[in-house]
Amino acid sequence: MATHIGAEISGVDLSGPLEDEVVDAIRSAVLRWKVVFFREQHLDHAGHLAFARRFGEPIVSPSRGDASPAEFPQVQTMVDRLELAGRYGQDRAQWRDRRRNSLLHDWHSDLTPWIDPPAATILRAEATPPYGGDTTWANLATAYAGLSEPLQRLAESLRAEHRRGVGYLPKPGPDSYLKDLQEQPVVSIHPLVRVHPETRERLLLVNPYYLERFVELSRAESRAVLDMFVDQATRPEYTVRFRWEPGSVAFWDNRATIHLGAQDREQLGSPRVLHRVMVAGDVPVGVDGTPSTAVAGRPLSES
């Protein structure tokens, strides 16, 4: 679908039993193209989970809201993120205003404050607006490879603090989200360049949604360095944009990508309902062989 990232796979029914050869072909495509897309699939929650299990062990998301099905704890239902805002007594506009301080900082990979972020995410669409609500992915391997050699060396030397709730502006008075962040902090220190455990590619693990500072850099220095690497990772030539339709499925390597959901749906009056299953991952390892370290919070594998 683009030079560096994204492929569409047709001729396969994800709701039925899949031959090992088909599973291997899908896995190879995900590793090569970082995100793959399927159209006109007819998956229910059970079928979604069964498909995900062919690629690893599904995990329970720590950010599930009331919209998610109780009988399928590994499935997270997202209705334009309203379910998470509602959990903390805020509407969507309040949540976005207090949760973000930069449009670029909406780019993210899933759950990197945890020591063992998911290896992959499989997202399926149940309902979509007639237009708007696209998602864009960026390839972190080409982002690293496209850096000059001096900046590659700088990136390889850095370790970053990934923290749940970075950038949140507390409400005046009681704030249940702030209370949750204080009572259940989740923080890990990850290398800025990790080595992919399967492809051995070097990946620029820049995640502005959760990353606020680099170890041994000041906050001012961290902001400048972070913005530089986010700009690099999100260069248009490293990205692919996908338009959702009911029955669409996106399957991406969470280790090798960051993604961005376009915030252009509020005026349409037609919600986007997506269901997410994430597959367990491992502890990132840097170029020098040093693994990430947990500062606070339990691993996702123990959730």
Side-chain angles (χ1 to χ4, degrees), residues 17-131:
L18 299 177
E19 298 290 338
D20 291 344
E21 293 81 3
V22 174
V23 172
D24 290 342
I26 294 172
R27 180 182 289 108
S28 295
V30 172
L31 292 175
R32 167 65 180 86
W33 293 105
K34 314 310 180 196
V35 56
V36 299
F37 307 104
F38 306 85
R39 296 286 191 183
E40 298 181 353
Q41 299 296 319
H42 304 284
L43 286 171
D44 56 14
H45 295 323
H48 192 166
L49 277 173
F51 175 65
R53 286 194 174 101
R54 298 301 301 273
F55 301 91
E57 183 62 32
I59 65 172
V60 177
S61 171
S63 58
R64 293 178 89 242
D66 293 340
S68 299
E71 65 273 28
F72 294 97
Q74 301 95 337
V75 177
Q76 181 180 10
T77 297
M78 296 178 287
V79 186
D80 287 341
R81 302 300 294 173
L82 287 172
E83 78 291 350
L84 195 57
R87 182 200 294 181
Y88 297 110
Q90 301 182 41
D91 63 28
R92 178 180 172 80
Q94 290 174 319
W95 178 254
R96 286 196 53 76
D97 184 53
R98 295 190 174 280
R99 185 63 183 83
R100 300 287 177 268
N101 57 10
S102 164
L103 294 178
L104 270 182
H105 288 191
D106 274 343
W107 282 96
H108 66 286
S109 52
D110 292 329
L111 304 185
T112 58
W114 283 261
I115 188 63
D116 52 347
T121 299
I122 303 171
L123 193 63
R124 83 179 200 271
E126 176 184 324
T128 61
Y131 50 86

Side-chain angles (χ1 to χ4, degrees), residues 132-193:
D134 297 353
T135 302
T136 303
W137 286 261
N139 184 333
L140 298 180
T142 53
Y144 168 84
L147 290 168
S148 64
E149 185 177 341
L151 285 181
Q152 286 181 346
R153 292 198 302 269
L154 171 63
E156 291 169 6
S157 71
L158 293 174
R159 296 175 70 80
E161 179 183 289
H162 294 237
R163 178 183 293 271
R164 176 173 169 256
V166 157
Y168 179 69
L169 177 66
K171 295 191 303 180
D175 188 327
S176 58
Y177 183 55
L178 177 62
K179 184 173 184 289
D180 190 28
L181 293 175
Q182 293 171 334
E183 294 179 350
Q184 302 184 67
V186 183
V187 186
S188 293
I189 305 296
H190 295 304
L192 182 57
V193 179

Side-chain angles (χ1 to χ4, degrees), residues 207-251:
N207 189 356
Y209 192 92
Y210 291 120
L211 197 169
E212 185 173 42
R213 72 177 191 92
F214 294 96
V215 177
E216 297 183 351
L217 297 189
S218 70
R219 297 177 73 86
E221 291 170 335
S222 292
R223 179 62 182 266
V225 171
L226 175 61
D227 286 348
M228 177 181 65
F229 285 125
V230 172
D231 286 344
Q232 169 68 8
T234 59
R235 285 169 52 175
E237 60 266 37
Y238 299 157
T239 68
V240 64
R241 182 165 177 147
F242 183 67
R243 182 177 178 184
W244 294 96
E245 300 170 348
S248 296
V249 174
F251 180 176

